[in-house]
């Protein structure tokens, strides 16, 4: 396979911007599907889960491979709902490029911004597709302006629409200076045509804007442009491609995926402007034996094998299915491979190319490919698989903290084992889904990113694992923090006949800036505590900070320093230091002004003007802080911060207050101290 003819891309956007519809058209036009699957009919190939088809939303990212004009495109369709943000995060981590889909009416919506920032963080080049140009209120120029203003993107339109709303008939290709008209039921016959006379000036101005924008990246283009000479189309494309790959430009095109308009031109843009694996810098990792030493791997089949496990899926026939992005080297089926993250060897029995939930066996995997491998015992999300004689650990994936919890219990004794198996399988699949047992009540508590996330988990337990569960009320994932520095001693000394137990530590705690979690630092000198016991102290503190002193909630925004201590030649042990650390931590917490922290959500409500007063009044009654108000098309956008504990059942209340005409998006933003009356109520239970 020619690696320069490979494109690993994702389709990412706000919920309802048309990602899955766009993906379905891509599959149809590339010949992967012989008919178009529609989301609203519950027949989309990429939305294969029953829950996705019923709700018309994407829950899990689906991968597929298709061919276009001699190029191989690995495509991942990601969810838009904030509760499933982990799927976007892990997909962007392994993709080389992305298509950001924007609704021509809604423009840059809250989740569009979140996904855009995720792509920025992973340095993913993008092409923007302004979808739904056939909808009432479609405004291509407004979306481009919003991309520049809200996202800080250097958006460069390479097309402009011919008409809008029901008159959307085609686009003008600004580089080629020609019109492309869409006709035929499935838009199968885009045809070149002269530019409509009333758009001639706009087309010239559009090409000039492209030249002006890219002359910043090319002295050759700048010289030709300033001299008023003709710039070849190929040169424009190659400079724009390089700027896109270097994250300095975002080519913008438009269409209507649902009406089959513009998808083939989108495929051309993917091939034209998004990178192949060799266009990107080498992937960096570290040696497992020494994390200070950086190692590089290039997208080359001749280099040692390196792959990242970025997703795990439960398959009813094959069991555990691990999705791999291969960064370098090649590997045949039947080979053994080393998991540098867990230190285990794994055997690769089968290698499969995925097409949503169907699969096709292949004999080998090479640099640049995205594949699925079944039956890997020791591999979890974020692990690095590599050649044993050339080990490397790639940067793992980071996942956000869960903010909402539910208690679940089996309806019957027979369901007990099935519940345990189902929960552990789902937790392995989804790193933002967590399970714990409440020590006091003995109940199983599941935590996730939002009400919808947990609703889907419970639904999957019933359908996929046949478990009937009783579900408790949603609970907020509170945290604890400290307000000032403190220090305390922790001593664990026991004498009992034979060998005793001796552990002694002196700890200092200090608050960390907002957004930080937990840090540990060893500040002891002169070996007062031997290194092996320092590791035990660290373990003891890691366990202790998971359960604070106010309500047993995990402690965040805290730095713990081990400053002193002592040890006994005979009686000291790992266990003694672990217990001493835990005792010292609890003692220091008491002196550090502990406070209860509650999750604060960023809530954005889009409502007709008539209901603005009611919506603001309702948010304020929920302890909401109104941050501002914008105008979007003919609606008002109210931005606010509201405690999660006040937001349960908000969807129903908002519907009734606005006759079903408003909608909202909500995502976790930060933790802040709960007011005294709220804290008292929570801690009293």
């Amino acid at each position: 396979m020619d690696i320069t003819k490979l494109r690993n891309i994702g389709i990412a956007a706000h919920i309802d911007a048309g990602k899955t519809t766009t993906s379905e058209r891509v599959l149809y036009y590339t010949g992967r599907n012989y008919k178009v699957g529609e989301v609203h009919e519950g027949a989309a190939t990429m939305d294969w889960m029953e829950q996705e088809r019923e709700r018309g939303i994407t829950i899990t990212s689906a991968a597929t491979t298709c061919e276009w004009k001699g190029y191989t495109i690995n495509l991942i369709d990601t969810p838009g709902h904030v509760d499933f943000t982990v799927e976007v995060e892990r997909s962007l981590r392994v993709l080389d490029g992305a298509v950001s889909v924007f609704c021509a009416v809604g423009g840059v919506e809250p989740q569009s911004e979140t996904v855009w920032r995720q792509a920025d963080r992973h340095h993913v080049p993008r092409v923007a597709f302004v979808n739904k140009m056939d909808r009432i209120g479609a405004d291509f120029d407004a979306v481009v302006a919003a991309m520049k203003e809200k996202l800080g993107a250097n958006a460069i339109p390479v097309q402009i629409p011919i008409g809008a709303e029901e008159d959307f008939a085609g686009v003008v290709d600004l580089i080629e200076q020609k019109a492309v008209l869409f006709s035929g039921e499935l838009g199968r016959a885009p045809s070149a045509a002269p530019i409509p006379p009333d758009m001639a000036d706009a087309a010239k101005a559009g090409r000039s804007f492209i030249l002006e924008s890219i002359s910043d990246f090319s002295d050759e283009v700048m010289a030709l442009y300033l001299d008023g000479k003709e710039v070849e189309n190929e040169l424009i494309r190659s400079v724009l491609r390089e700027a896109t790959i270097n994250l300095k430009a975002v080519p913008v095109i438009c269409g209507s995926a649902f009406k089959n308009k513009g998808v083939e031109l989108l495929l051309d843009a993917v091939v034209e402007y998004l990178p192949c694996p060799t266009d990107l810098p080498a992937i960096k990792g570290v040696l497992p034996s020494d994390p200070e030493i950086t190692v590089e791997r290039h997208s080359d089949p001749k280099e040692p094998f390196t792959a990242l496990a970025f997703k795990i899926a439960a398959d009813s026939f094959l069991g555990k299915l691990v999705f791999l992005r291969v960064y370098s080297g090649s590997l045949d089926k039947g080979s053994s491979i080393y998991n540098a993250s867990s230190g285990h060897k794994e055997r690769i029995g089968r290698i499969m190319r995925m097409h949503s939930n169907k699969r096709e066996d292949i004999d080998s995997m090479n640099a640049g490919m995205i594949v699925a491998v079944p039956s890997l015992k020791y591999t979890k999300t974020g692990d690095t698989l590599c050649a044993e004689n050339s080990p490397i650990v790639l940067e793992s994936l980071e996942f956000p903290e869960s903010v909402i919890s539910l208690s679940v219990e089996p309806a019957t004794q027979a369901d007990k084992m099935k519940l345990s198996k189902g929960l552990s399988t789902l937790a392995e699949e989804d790193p933002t889904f967590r399970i714990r047992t409440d020590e006091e009540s003995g109940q199983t508590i599941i935590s996730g990113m939002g009400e919808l996330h947990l609703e889907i988990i419970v639904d999957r337990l019933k359908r996929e694992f046949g478990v009937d569960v009783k579900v408790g009320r949603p609970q907020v994932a509170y945290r604890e923090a400290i307000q000032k520095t403190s220090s305390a001693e922790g001593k664990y000394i026991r004498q009992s006949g034979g060998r005793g137990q001796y552990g002694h530590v002196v700890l200092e705690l200090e608050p960390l800036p907002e957004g930080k979690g937990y840090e540990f630092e060893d500040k002891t000198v002169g070996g007062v505590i031997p290194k092996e016991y320092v590791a035990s102290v660290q373990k003891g503190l890691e366990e202790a900070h998971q359960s604070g002193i106010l309500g047993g909630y995990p402690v965040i925004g805290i730095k713990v320093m081990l400053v002193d201590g002592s040890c006994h030649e005979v009686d000291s042990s790992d266990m003694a230091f672990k217990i001493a650390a835990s005792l010292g931590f609890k003692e220091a917490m008491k002196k550090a002004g502990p406070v209860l922290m509650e999750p604060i959500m960023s809530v954005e409500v889009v409502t007709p003007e008539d209901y603005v007063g009611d919506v603001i009044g309702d948010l304020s009654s929920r302890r909401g802080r109104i941050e501002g108000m914008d105008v979007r098309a003919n609606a008002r956008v109210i931005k606010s911060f509201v405690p999660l504990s006040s937001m349960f059942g908000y969807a129903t209340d908002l519907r009734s207050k606005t006759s079903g005409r408003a909608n909202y998006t909500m995502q976790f933003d930060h933790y802040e101290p709960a007011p005294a009356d709220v804290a008292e109520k929570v801690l009293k239970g």
Side-chain angles (χ1 to χ4, degrees):
M1 183 182 70
D2 181 355
I3 200 166
T4 62
K5 293 283 182 82
L6 181 62
R7 299 288 182 272
N8 290 316
I9 65 157
I11 295 192
H14 185 85
I15 192 165
D16 272 351
K19 295 176 300 301
T20 302
T21 303
T22 304
S23 301
E24 292 301 318
R25 275 22 180 213
V26 166
L27 297 182
Y28 175 76
Y29 287 119
T30 56
R32 198 67 169 89
N33 282 359
Y34 65 91
K35 73 182 185 73
V36 172
E38 297 294 11
V39 175
H40 64 276
E41 291 170 1
T45 306
M46 301 299 268
D47 283 354
W48 55 271
M49 288 170 67
E50 285 178 50
Q51 293 88 344
E52 293 178 312
R53 294 186 164 189
E54 285 171 1
R55 289 171 168 81
I57 60 167
T58 302
I59 292 166
T60 181
S61 51
T64 192
T65 305
C66 51
E67 307 288 327
W68 181 252
K69 296 185 177 176
Y71 288 80
T72 299
I73 299 174
N74 284 323
L75 174 76
I76 295 184
D77 174 32
T78 64
H81 199 287
V82 66
D83 282 17
F84 309 109
T85 188
V86 61
E87 292 289 339
V88 185
E89 183 71 27
R90 57 179 163 197
S91 299
L92 288 172
R93 169 73 166 79
V94 299
L95 292 168
D96 302 331
V99 174
S100 286
V101 181
F102 296 94
C103 170
V105 183
V108 177
E109 296 172 278
Q111 193 62 8
S112 322
E113 291 189 49
T114 307
V115 172
W116 194 269
R117 305 276 174 251
Q118 285 174 302
D120 278 344
R121 198 165 61 248
H122 292 295
H123 308 293
V124 178
R126 274 144 281 174
V127 165
F129 180 57
V130 180
N131 190 25
K132 302 193 179 183
M133 281 303 302
D134 59 310
R135 289 267 301 275
I136 292 170
D139 189 336
F140 178 74
D141 293 337
V143 179
V144 174
M147 285 176 67
K148 292 176 180 177
E149 183 195 332
K150 292 186 177 177
L151 306 175
N154 183 15
I156 302 176
V158 291
Q159 297 173 354
I160 52 174
I162 299 172
E165 301 180 352
E166 60 186 25
D167 298 326
F168 177 56
V171 296
V172 173
D173 183 327
L174 297 175
I175 296 175
E176 294 285 344
Q177 286 290 291
K178 68 176 187 189
V180 179
L181 301 176
F182 306 118
S183 58
E185 187 196 341
L186 277 167
R188 261 301 198 187
S191 54
I195 294 170
D198 61 334
M199 293 189 70
D201 291 344
K204 278 201 181 74
R207 194 173 198 274
S208 288
F209 178 74
I210 295 174
L211 293 171
E212 206 176 293
S213 302
I214 66 171
S215 60
D216 291 345
F217 315 123
S218 164
D219 293 341
E220 187 182 352
V221 172
M222 183 179 277
L224 291 167
Y225 180 58
L226 292 176
D227 291 346
K229 291 179 181 168
E230 187 56 36
V231 184
E232 293 291 324
N233 294 346
E234 273 316 302
L235 178 59
I236 295 174
R237 285 201 189 90
S238 71
V239 172
L240 184 53
R241 172 184 171 78
E242 199 176 325
T244 303
I245 291 169
N246 293 327
L247 304 181
K248 291 177 178 169
V250 180
V252 186
I253 62 173
C254 62
S256 165
F258 182 59
K259 293 287 175 66
N260 312 297
K261 293 177 178 179
V263 177
E264 287 161 295
L265 302 181
L266 170 62
L267 285 163
D268 288 340
V270 163
V271 164
E272 196 75 61
Y273 302 115
L274 292 180
C276 69
T278 53
D279 287 325
L280 297 168
I283 187 97
K284 287 186 170 70
V286 295
L287 283 180
S289 54
D290 187 350
E292 298 298 310
I293 298 175
T294 304
V295 192
E296 284 191 349
R297 292 280 189 271
H298 298 85
S299 286
D300 183 345
K302 295 186 178 68
E303 287 212 1
F305 183 81
T306 309
L308 182 78
F310 69 94
K311 175 178 164 76
I312 286 170
D315 186 284
S316 47
F317 300 107
L318 296 163
K320 179 173 154 185
L321 203 55
V322 180
F323 284 74
L324 300 177
R325 161 68 202 259
V326 185
Y327 284 103
S328 64
S330 58
L331 194 75
D332 295 335
K333 67 178 182 186
S335 311
S336 284
I337 196 69
Y338 179 62
N339 183 327
S341 306
S342 69
H344 289 94
K345 267 183 157 181
E346 296 269 27
R347 189 173 174 281
I348 307 289
R350 286 174 74 182
I351 302 170
M352 293 175 288
R353 222 183 222 157
M354 296 302 290
H355 175 48
S356 187
N357 63 333
K358 300 184 178 67
R359 51 203 156 260
E360 162 197 340
D361 277 275
I362 53 176
D363 294 328
S364 63
M365 48 180 155
N366 301 304
M369 290 175 78
I370 290 175
V371 297
V373 177
S375 313
L376 297 184
K377 281 185 198 168
Y378 307 106
T379 302
K380 57 184 194 301
T381 304
D383 283 1
T384 305
L385 298 178
C386 60
E388 192 170 6
N389 60 0
S390 192
I392 180 175
V393 176
L394 301 175
E395 186 187 343
S396 190
L397 295 138
E398 282 186 18
F399 301 110
E401 282 290 316
S402 48
V403 293
I404 184 169
S405 305
L406 283 177
S407 63
V408 291
E409 50 186 287
T412 66
Q413 199 59 32
D415 284 324
K416 205 168 182 178
M417 283 301 289
K418 287 194 282 185
L419 176 64
S420 172
K421 182 175 183 285
L423 288 174
S424 59
T425 303
L426 293 172
E428 192 171 36
E429 242 185 61
D430 180 353
T432 58
F433 169 58
R434 295 179 173 90
I435 314 155
R436 67 181 174 84
T437 304
D438 186 288
E439 287 174 15
E440 286 178 24
S441 66
Q443 282 182 313
T444 301
I445 307 293
I446 60 173
S447 305
M449 301 304 294
E451 286 183 272
L452 179 63
H453 187 193
L454 294 182
E455 191 186 308
I456 298 290
I457 293 280
V458 170
D459 196 23
R460 290 186 65 189
L461 282 171
K462 287 177 181 170
R463 292 193 200 195
E464 291 172 35
F465 300 94
V467 188
D468 200 8
V469 288
K470 293 178 189 165
V471 179
R473 286 186 58 227
Q475 301 161 342
V476 176
Y478 291 101
R479 296 286 183 265
E480 295 179 28
I482 57 171
Q483 294 170 298
K484 57 189 182 189
T485 55
S486 71
S487 62
E489 262 186 309
K491 275 186 178 175
Y492 182 68
I493 300 168
R494 289 282 181 278
Q495 284 306 131
S496 56
R499 184 178 163 179
Q501 294 281 355
Y502 184 96
H504 171 223
V505 297
V506 180
L507 303 173
E508 275 182 14
L509 308 189
E510 70 176 44
L512 288 173
E514 192 188 299
K516 297 272 186 167
Y518 159 82
E519 286 178 17
F520 169 78
E521 188 183 342
D522 174 16
K523 292 180 88 173
T524 54
V525 287
V528 289
I529 299 177
K531 278 277 175 273
E532 66 266 28
Y533 294 142
V534 170
S536 305
V537 170
Q538 199 169 348
K539 269 187 202 151
L541 290 169
E542 271 171 17
E543 285 174 20
H545 98 273
Q546 291 300 326
S547 177
I549 61 166
L550 295 175
Y553 299 108
V555 184
I556 57 168
I558 191 168
K559 181 173 184 176
V560 186
M561 290 160 287
L562 175 61
V563 291
D564 202 0
S566 61
C567 120
H568 190 283
E569 278 182 24
V570 178
D571 290 352
S572 283
S573 67
D574 287 331
M575 183 54 73
F577 271 100
K578 221 171 146 185
I579 295 169
S582 179
L583 295 171
F585 178 79
K586 289 201 169 11
E587 197 54 45
M589 274 281 293
K590 287 176 193 168
K591 302 177 187 174
V595 286
L596 186 74
M597 305 290 280
E598 62 177 347
I600 304 296
M601 311 304 279
S602 168
V603 179
E604 193 166 299
V605 183
V606 182
T607 174
E609 191 153 2
D610 308 359
Y611 304 106
V612 167
D614 290 344
V615 170
I616 288 177
D618 184 43
L619 288 170
S620 300
S621 73
R622 295 170 186 269
R623 296 193 288 127
R625 211 165 57 233
I626 308 299
E627 293 292 302
M629 193 157 71
D630 289 342
V631 178
R632 184 183 296 160
N634 53 358
R636 292 284 178 273
V637 182
I638 300 160
K639 296 181 178 180
S640 61
F641 288 122
V642 192
L644 173 63
S645 58
S646 311
M647 289 300 289
F648 294 128
Y650 183 62
T652 312
D653 289 353
L654 182 67
R655 267 199 299 273
S656 64
K657 276 189 168 52
T658 62
S659 308
R661 292 176 63 199
N663 58 57
Y664 78 104
T665 53
M666 173 172 87
Q667 63 191 70
F668 170 71
D669 195 87
H670 64 281
Y671 275 95
E672 61 183 50
D677 57 329
V678 173
E680 194 181 337
K681 211 176 193 177
V682 170
L683 296 173
K684 274 185 179 169

